[in-house]
């Protein structure tokens, strides 16, 4: 290179660098333009697509954000392949990694939304979803029929639009339930067997059994027996907070008890004190795990999976995985029975409730979706019974068999269905969880959920379970619970959106904080000190403006009664 | 570094005029245009990533709602700051942050310097390398793993800490370390040391390596033993590095951390565990109140810059190295 060209080279290099930096700064603007042209293109494409319906399917991509951690399906997944062949849609799924609030915060700050997003009040508040009611009316007859009964409930209380399609809680036909997923006091089957299957109704009877069993068997498989476990970790805090409302015969309303349409916080009431006092007593006797308040969810699950924990208050779905592990280890006697405990036998238990619409959950379509019409049409297609069966039961002949019109599974198919690796290749589980779905039974009378199909449930029962159920004269473990009465219109209060950043939300956060801090203190205190800790606690709650929280709940209950009543 | 230069030129007084600022003329610009062009990308980079984001600070004075444009935002003045400073928890949270920050700072410095000095005394290269590698490996673990290890080792069932203490007959019954507020700061400090000590040592070892061996020889001739050499040659030799790093770290005192406290904290120790970052997460980000989160960030920045300038000023007063 000569001197001159060397100089030119240097200059151009510098210029290039400068340019690249400058451009990276202006990237945003360019993207927007690109997006706009894309949108225009997509709309025309959609128009032409809808024009020649019935013709060849045009492939398109739908990006989706799933609000829980999960695994990507295999690239040749059976179900996704079918969807792609028949509707042209392929899914590009993003699973949550880390903290949901943090992730949503980042998404909102960058206005970076995929086409479909997990329902969240945060995203609603940020204006991230498009209203769906007109789209459904125009393009989605199946969805319209599916949600017809629930239309008003789905409307956002703040502006009356529908943003999210609830994923659970819309029932059709006969509802078979043989699996209880909700809250209860759980006790190991072995404990019940030891004492010859007694009827356990009250909290006192329950702890009595645990105490006796622990005294008799101080060690299980070589490890010390743990009487009672309380999980109070992050948002999984109901194990500590929620029991008192159930013990007075009230269903799960979250942080409040609603009587005659009026909500009140129960955390500081006397019936709550009664429960924590009992726990305090039990702690003094060494029944409660010493580490219970310092453990995280993993440690909790590890303890349950080891089979050394006799009982706990929890929601079934929360520790389901630990039970699976116990089953795999062939320790059926260490799995749990849910008991609907109350303070005294005259109170009727109300743990089990009729399924409610899972508001603020499911999918919403984001404002960044290039072609909402196409997406809603896709969701509508997938609502079809043919697709619903494919999602839930799988492919006929491969994943289930039909005998006299009843869906059944062979043992091999049953084992496959429980195998997580098999699921990744043969099920669209994570997507289906968030899609609108038929629950209850199909038009041909088969259950939408294999576990709820009575024949299937019976066939899958282990001998040990048969023994327990026979001893009580029950068909399934759900029979331990009283039949649920009809839900009040507003129910459940826990699904009320407190509005991000409002006084009500701040008060509820404060209340949460105080409970997390003082309840463990009260339970671990010396019995003589319990009362003073409790007084301290209730005084702090009074200061925390819980009134704002109660007011908001009551206002929304009124609103629901006015707008949801048919 | 400038300081030493200045002192140098101060001695040779007559030359000082030469250092007088040249007026910037077109001729100078033209002569140095390559330099100027080369600095342009860096300038852009700095503006883009260090100054443009400061614009986001306006959020702290608004009731920021993400979907709205700047013009539509509601301005609320100092409301967010008021919420932050008047909350009952704030003093406690600030105390925790400062306490853990200072503990981490001091423990981090002392242990790293001591380890560097000790490593320097090891003459067998193989052992030195081995110790060094083992001590800096935990740096590459994320906090979630480290807190997992910490929680497991502090467990009462089969936690190694309790086992060792029991075997040594220092305690009669296992202690539930994570349930007592008074232990929490210590646990956080110790975790930090375990994770970072090896890594922090590297820079001191580098500084030690640059000390003129002649000084050691001279000291030896004067009859200095190992310990004396360490005190009078090695330590003064790395003084500059220590001071500069100290000043930089003081600016980060309020960054006491978030993950350790969040992951190890629980209801029983919350009074000692909650830091400003956790507070801001709870009442800011988790509530969709980005304005409060920003206000918290501004507060931390202002305090940090103040501390940094103070440290720098004191250092200058004492005639030590300084950063600015």
């Amino acid at each position: 290179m000569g001197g001159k060209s060397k100089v030119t080279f240097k200059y151009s290099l510098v210029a290039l660098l400068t340019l690249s930096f400058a451009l990276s700064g202006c990237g945003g603007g360019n993207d927007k333009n690109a997006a706009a042209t894309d949108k225009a293109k997509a709309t025309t494409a959609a128009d032409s697509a809808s024009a020649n319906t019935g013709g060849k399917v045009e492939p398109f991509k739908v990006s989706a954000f799933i609000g829980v951690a999960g695994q990507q399906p295999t690239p040749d997944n059976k179900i996704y392949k079918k969807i792609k062949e028949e509707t042209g849609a392929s899914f590009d799924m993003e699973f949550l990694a880390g903290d949901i609030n943090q992730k949503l915060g980042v998404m909102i700050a960058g206005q970076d939304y995929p086409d479909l997003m997990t329902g969240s009040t945060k995203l609603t508040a940020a204006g991230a979803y498009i209203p769906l009611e007109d789209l459904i009316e125009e393009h989605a007859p199946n969805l319209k029929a599916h949600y017809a009964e629930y239309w008003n409930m789905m409307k956002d209380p703040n502006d009356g639009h529908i943003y999210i399609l609830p994923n659970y809680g819309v029932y059709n036909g006969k509802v078979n339930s043989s699996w209880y997923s909700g809250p209860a006091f759980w006790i190991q089957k072995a404990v019940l067997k030891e004492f010859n299957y007694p009827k356990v109704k009250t909290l006192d009877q329950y702890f009595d059994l645990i105490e006796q069993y622990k005294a008799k068997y101080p060690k299980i498989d070589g490890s010390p027996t743990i009487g009672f476990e309380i999980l109070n970790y992050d948002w999984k805090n109901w194990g500590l907070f929620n029991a008192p409302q159930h013990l007075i015969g009230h269903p799960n309303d979250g942080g409040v008890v609603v009587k005659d349409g009026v909500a009140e916080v129960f955390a500081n009431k006397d019936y709550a004190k009664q429960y924590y006092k009992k726990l305090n007593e039990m702690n003094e006797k060494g029944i409660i795990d010493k580490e219970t308040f310092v453990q995280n969810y993993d440690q909790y699950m590890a303890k349950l999976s080891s089979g050394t924990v006799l009982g706990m208050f929890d929601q079934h779905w929360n520790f389901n995985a630990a039970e699976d592990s116990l089953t795999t280890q062939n320790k059926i006697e260490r799995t749990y029975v849910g008991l609907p405990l109350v303070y005294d036998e005259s109170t009727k238990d109300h743990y089990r409730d009729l399924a409610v619409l899972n508001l603020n959950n499911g999918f919403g379509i984001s404002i960044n979706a290039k072609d909402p019409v196409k997406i809603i049409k896709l969701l509508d297609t997938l609502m079809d019974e043919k697709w619903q069966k494919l999602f839930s039961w799988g492919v006929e002949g491969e994943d289930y068999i039909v005998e006299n019109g009843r869906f059944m599974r062979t043992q091999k198919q049953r084992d496959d269905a429980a195998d997580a690796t098999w699921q990744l290749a043969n099920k669209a589980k994570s997507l289906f969880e968030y899609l609108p779905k038929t629950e209850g039974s199909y038009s041909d009378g088969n259950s939408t959920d294999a576990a709820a199909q009575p024949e299937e449930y019976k066939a899958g029962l282990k001998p040990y379970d048969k023994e327990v159920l026979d001893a009580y004269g029950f068909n399934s473990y759900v029979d331990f619970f009283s039949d649920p009465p009809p839900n009040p219109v507003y129910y459940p209060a826990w699904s009320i959106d407190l509005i991000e950043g409002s006084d009500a939300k701040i008060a509820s956060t404060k209340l949460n904080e105080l409970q997390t801090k003082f309840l463990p203190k009260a339970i671990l205190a010396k019995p003589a000190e319990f009362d003073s800790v409790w007084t301290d606690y209730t005084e702090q709650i009074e200061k925390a403006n819980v009134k704002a929280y109660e007011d908001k709940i009551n206002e929304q209950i009124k609103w629901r009664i006015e707008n949801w009543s048919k | 570094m400038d300081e030493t230069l200045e002192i140098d030129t101060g001695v040779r007084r007559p030359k000082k005029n030469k250092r007088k600022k040249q007026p910037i003329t077109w001729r100078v610009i033209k002569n140095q245009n390559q330099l100027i062009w080369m600095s342009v990308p860096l300038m852009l980079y700095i503006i883009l990533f260090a100054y443009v984001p400061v614009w986001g600070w306006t959020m702290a004075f608004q009731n920021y709602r993400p979907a709205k444009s700047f013009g539509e935002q509601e301005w609320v003045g100092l409301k967010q700051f008021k919420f932050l400073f008047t909350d009952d928890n704030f003093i406690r949270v600030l105390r925790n942050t400062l306490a853990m920050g200072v503990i981490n700072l001091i423990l981090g410095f002392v242990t790293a310097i001591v380890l560097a000095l000790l490593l320097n005394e090891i003459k067998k290269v193989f052992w030195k390398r081995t110790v060094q590698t083992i001590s800096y490996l935990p740096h590459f673990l994320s906090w979630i793993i480290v807190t997992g290890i910490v929680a497991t080792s502090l467990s009462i069932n089969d936690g190694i800490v309790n086992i060792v203490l029991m075997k040594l007959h220092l305690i009669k019954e296992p202690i539930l370390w994570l349930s007592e507020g008074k232990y929490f700061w210590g646990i956080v400090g110790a975790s930090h040391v375990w994770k970072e000590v090896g890594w922090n040592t590297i820079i001191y070892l580098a500084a030690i390596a640059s000390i003129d061996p002649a000084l050691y020889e001279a000291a030896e001739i004067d009859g200095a033993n190992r310990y004396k050499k360490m005190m009078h040659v090695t330590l003064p030799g790395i003084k500059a590095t220590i001071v500069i790093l100290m000043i930089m770290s003081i600016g980060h005192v309020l960054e006491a951390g978030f993950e350790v406290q969040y992951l190890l904290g629980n209801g029983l120790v919350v009074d000692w565990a909650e830091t400003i970052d956790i507070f801001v997460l709870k009442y800011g980000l988790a509530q969709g109140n980005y304005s409060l989160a920003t206000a918290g960030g501004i507060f931390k920045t202002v305090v940090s810059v103040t501390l940094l300038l103070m440290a720098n000023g004191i250092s200058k007063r004492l005639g030590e190295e300084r950063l600015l």
Side-chain angles (χ1 to χ4, degrees):
Chain A
M1 260 195 263
K4 184 88 191 243
S5 62
K6 215 173 189 173
V7 171
T8 330
F9 177 71
K10 260 192 231 160
Y11 275 97
S12 42
L13 197 70
V14 167
L16 203 70
L17 264 174
T18 321
L19 196 70
S20 67
F21 272 101
L23 277 182
S24 69
C26 316
N30 285 353
D31 274 354
K32 243 179 216 156
N33 286 338
T37 28
D38 269 359
K39 202 165 187 166
K41 263 192 225 153
T43 335
T44 41
D47 285 347
S48 54
S50 50
N52 58 4
T53 24
K56 205 174 63 142
V57 284
E58 258 185 70
F60 66 104
K61 252 193 180 335
V62 181
S63 52
F65 169 64
I66 307 279
V68 294
Q71 269 182 296
Q72 293 290 351
T74 58
D76 56 345
N77 179 292
K78 192 160 80 182
I79 306 292
Y80 287 108
K81 215 162 142 188
K82 269 212 160 62
I83 297 177
K84 179 145 200 212
E85 275 164 17
E86 297 192 25
T87 67
S90 50
F91 290 90
D92 174 14
M93 282 192 291
E94 190 194 346
F95 291 95
L96 176 68
D99 180 60
I100 180 80
N101 285 325
Q102 215 173 327
K103 170 72 187 165
L104 291 177
V106 172
M107 277 167 74
I108 291 169
Q111 301 267 302
D112 174 20
Y113 307 125
D115 300 338
L116 283 174
M117 291 187 293
T118 299
S120 155
T121 50
K122 253 192 200 78
L123 291 171
T124 318
Y129 299 113
I130 55 166
L132 299 175
E133 58 275 8
D134 294 343
L135 275 175
I136 295 177
E137 297 269 7
E138 263 178 64
H139 303 285
N142 287 337
L143 286 175
K144 174 78 184 151
H146 179 66
Y147 287 122
E149 288 263 306
Y150 302 86
W151 199 249
N152 283 335
M153 292 193 178
M154 287 155 61
K155 288 182 180 162
D156 189 85
N158 304 308
D159 62 10
H161 285 302
I162 292 176
Y163 292 112
I164 299 162
L165 302 171
N167 49 350
Y168 287 101
V170 179
Y171 281 82
N172 310 65
K174 188 170 174 292
V175 182
N176 298 313
S177 65
S178 46
W179 199 78
Y180 175 72
S181 67
F185 280 88
W186 301 87
I187 194 164
Q188 275 189 1
K189 288 167 187 165
V191 180
L192 293 179
K193 184 175 178 173
E194 180 70 29
F195 300 107
N196 213 5
Y197 304 112
K199 287 218 160 31
V200 192
K201 288 272 180 206
T202 68
L203 189 67
D204 293 335
Q205 292 165 359
Y206 173 80
F207 276 119
D208 204 36
L209 282 186
I210 287 181
E211 215 181 315
Q212 286 182 44
Y213 190 90
K214 187 172 185 303
K216 207 165 170 183
Y217 301 97
K219 287 201 164 174
I220 293 176
D221 298 335
S223 306
T225 307
I226 297 170
F228 192 72
E229 198 64 72
I230 307 164
L231 177 67
N232 177 37
Y233 181 70
D234 211 13
W235 61 278
K236 298 191 173 201
N237 49 21
W238 55 80
L240 180 61
F241 296 176
N242 280 4
Q245 59 183 335
H246 296 295
L247 289 166
I248 58 163
H250 193 87
N252 182 11
D253 257 326
V256 291
V257 158
V258 187
K259 278 184 193 142
D260 308 318
V262 182
E264 61 167 25
V265 165
F266 65 81
N268 53 354
K269 298 293 178 291
D270 280 345
Y271 52 85
K273 186 179 174 183
Q274 192 184 340
Y275 175 62
Y276 298 113
K277 186 142 194 160
K278 180 84 193 174
L279 290 182
N280 176 274
E281 219 176 89
M282 288 299 122
N283 180 60
E284 192 62 19
K285 287 186 181 168
I287 301 296
I288 292 171
D289 182 15
K290 274 193 189 138
E291 278 186 308
T292 197
F293 296 118
V294 301
Q295 70 191 342
N296 59 33
Y297 181 61
D298 294 335
Q299 290 170 309
Y300 171 76
M301 290 297 274
K303 279 182 191 160
L304 293 197
S305 309
S306 74
T308 53
V309 179
L310 300 182
M312 66 274 167
F313 176 87
D314 201 351
Q315 308 224 15
H316 202 178
W317 58 266
N318 190 46
F319 66 94
N320 198 10
E323 277 200 321
D324 287 349
S325 156
L326 286 167
T327 311
T328 323
Q329 299 168 55
N330 209 11
K331 291 184 183 170
I332 311 293
E333 76 279 8
R334 301 289 167 208
T335 55
Y336 296 88
V337 178
L339 299 170
L341 300 183
V342 284
Y343 279 132
D344 53 81
E345 297 205 32
S346 59
T347 313
K348 189 170 183 258
D349 67 275
H350 190 170
Y351 281 69
R352 211 178 130 207
D353 49 12
L354 290 177
V356 290
L357 197 64
N358 200 7
L359 287 176
N360 305 324
N361 217 318
F363 274 134
I365 300 180
S366 83
I367 47 172
N368 290 4
K370 282 168 200 149
D371 190 356
V373 174
K374 214 164 187 175
I375 293 173
I376 204 87
K377 279 186 172 164
L378 172 71
L379 295 182
D380 195 58
T381 311
L382 296 181
M383 219 25 244
D384 191 273
E385 206 163 281
K386 172 189 131 188
W387 285 105
Q388 291 290 310
K389 283 179 183 167
L390 206 60
F391 276 124
S392 187
W393 283 85
V395 178
E396 190 184 328
E398 283 177 36
D399 305 329
Y400 68 99
I401 48 174
V402 186
E403 278 174 12
N404 305 326
R406 298 298 290 172
F407 293 1
M408 293 282 288
R409 288 199 280 213
T410 64
Q411 192 53 45
K412 164 93 174 53
Q413 287 164 344
R414 221 168 273 142
D415 294 342
D416 274 348
D419 180 356
T421 324
W422 182 88
Q423 286 172 357
L424 287 179
N426 296 283
K427 288 227 140 198
K429 206 177 164 200
S430 39
L431 176 70
F432 186 55
E433 296 243 303
Y434 284 88
L435 284 178
K437 65 177 74 57
T438 318
E439 283 180 277
S441 41
Y442 302 119
S443 51
D444 58 14
N446 280 302
S447 288
T448 55
D449 175 14
Q453 181 91 324
E455 297 94 324
E456 263 296 292
Y457 181 74
K458 283 244 166 67
L461 268 185
K462 299 266 190 300
Y464 197 93
D465 288 305
K466 277 206 185 102
E467 189 189 327
V468 178
L469 290 175
D470 284 347
Y472 284 99
F474 291 147
N475 286 323
S476 77
Y477 286 107
V478 178
D479 294 342
F480 278 88
F481 297 82
S482 298
D483 276 339
N487 290 327
V489 180
Y490 62 83
Y491 185 79
W494 58 256
S495 67
I496 287 172
D497 176 10
L498 294 176
I499 313 288
E500 305 296 334
S502 66
D503 286 350
K505 182 94 187 186
I506 291 174
S508 114
T509 308
K510 276 248 157 80
L511 181 63
N512 213 308
E513 212 169 68
L514 290 172
Q515 284 177 285
T516 309
K517 184 166 137 185
F518 280 98
L519 292 179
K521 226 190 225 172
I523 293 168
L524 300 182
K526 296 243 156 33
E529 286 159 18
F530 178 84
D531 280 321
S532 74
V533 177
W534 187 265
T535 320
D536 201 5
Y537 165 64
T538 45
E539 272 167 14
Q540 295 276 338
I541 288 186
E542 252 149 59
K543 271 197 239 156
N545 195 19
V546 285
K547 183 90 177 36
Y549 173 51
E550 288 174 334
D551 286 350
K552 179 75 195 171
I553 299 268
N554 280 315
E555 175 202 314
Q556 286 298 308
I557 287 177
K558 265 211 192 93
W559 185 90
R560 284 184 176 184
I561 291 173
E562 274 164 30
N563 290 277
W564 289 5
S565 302
K566 281 165 214 155
Chain B
M1 297 286 164
D2 263 355
E3 182 80 339
T4 45
L5 267 181
E6 211 128 23
I7 291 166
D8 262 11
T9 49
V11 180
R12 283 160 266 154
R13 222 157 259 277
K15 279 190 180 173
K16 202 179 179 185
N17 281 342
K18 250 196 164 179
R19 268 180 61 93
K20 223 179 90 184
K21 267 189 187 166
Q22 272 186 342
I24 299 175
T25 58
W26 276 114
R27 224 177 79 96
V28 177
I29 292 176
K30 224 176 157 190
N31 272 341
Q32 303 186 348
N33 66 6
Q34 280 148 321
L35 281 175
I36 290 173
W37 276 111
M38 275 159 74
S39 66
V40 164
L42 284 175
M43 294 292 285
L44 281 174
Y45 178 87
I46 300 282
I47 289 169
L48 200 63
F49 290 102
Y51 286 95
V52 172
V54 174
W55 173 249
W57 279 18
T58 52
M59 260 164 76
F61 306 97
Q62 302 166 341
N63 225 348
Y64 182 76
R65 287 285 161 261
K68 292 180 180 165
S69 73
F70 184 73
E72 290 168 306
Q73 299 293 349
E74 179 197 348
W75 293 86
V76 293
L78 293 174
K79 185 184 147 211
Q80 310 294 358
F81 289 94
K82 259 186 207 147
F83 178 90
L84 195 66
F85 296 142
T86 54
D87 193 277
D88 294 344
N89 287 337
F90 185 74
I91 293 293
R92 214 190 63 211
V93 164
L94 182 64
R95 176 201 69 176
N96 294 341
T97 314
L98 276 174
M100 281 185 267
V102 170
I103 289 174
N104 289 347
L105 181 77
I106 293 173
L107 266 187
F109 263 93
V110 173
T111 52
I113 293 166
V114 169
L115 184 64
L117 290 178
L118 294 179
L119 275 175
N120 189 49
E121 294 303 315
I122 299 178
K123 296 301 173 209
K124 274 254 188 327
V125 176
F126 173 77
W127 289 116
K128 190 172 170 178
R129 289 276 155 79
T130 313
V131 173
Q132 225 192 322
T133 310
I134 292 174
S135 67
Y136 79 57
L137 274 181
H139 169 79
F140 298 101
L141 298 178
S142 73
W143 271 116
I144 187 119
I145 294 172
V146 174
T147 49
I149 294 173
V150 170
T152 314
S153 13
L154 294 177
S155 154
I156 48 168
N157 288 335
D158 39 16
I160 185 157
V161 174
N162 278 319
I163 292 176
V164 168
L165 290 179
M166 297 265 283
K167 292 255 151 97
L168 291 174
H169 299 288
L170 288 173
I171 51 171
K172 284 204 181 85
E173 256 181 36
I175 297 177
L176 199 46
W177 295 98
L178 287 171
S179 71
E180 297 263 1
K182 59 181 179 220
Y183 299 138
F184 194 81
W185 292 351
I187 292 170
V188 171
S191 320
H192 265 280
V193 167
W194 182 75
K195 187 171 185 296
E196 302 295 350
V197 67
W199 189 254
N200 292 340
T201 306
I202 293 175
I203 194 160
Y204 296 116
L205 283 175
I208 290 173
S210 70
I211 297 173
D212 189 351
L215 291 175
Y216 287 105
E217 281 160 29
E220 215 165 292
I221 291 166
D222 286 347
N225 57 20
R226 262 191 170 196
Y227 172 74
K228 285 247 161 87
K229 274 192 281 181
M230 204 193 281
M231 290 305 290
H232 298 295
V233 181
T234 317
L235 263 183
I238 59 171
K239 197 175 81 180
T241 317
I242 297 176
V243 172
I244 291 287
L245 285 178
M246 186 71 125
I247 294 172
M248 280 165 76
S249 310
I250 283 173
H252 290 290
V253 153
L254 284 192
E255 312 282 337
F258 160 75
E259 289 151 301
V260 216
Q261 290 85 351
Y262 190 80
L263 294 166
L264 283 181
N266 58 60
L268 292 165
V269 294
V270 71
D271 281 350
W272 290 269
E274 207 170 40
T275 60
I276 295 179
D277 289 338
I278 297 178
F279 182 77
V280 161
L281 176 83
K282 253 192 206 161
Y283 289 95
L285 292 175
Q287 306 260 346
N289 189 350
Y290 301 98
S291 301
L292 182 69
T294 315
I298 294 178
F299 169 74
K300 273 173 60 182
T301 310
V302 170
V303 174
S304 298
V305 170
T306 318
L307 285 174
L308 183 81
L309 290 177
M310 269 166 55
N312 199 52
I314 292 171
S315 181
K316 185 182 173 189
R317 228 12 100 66
L318 298 176
E320 297 289 346
E321 296 289 331
R322 61 205 168 99
L323 192 62
L324 302 171

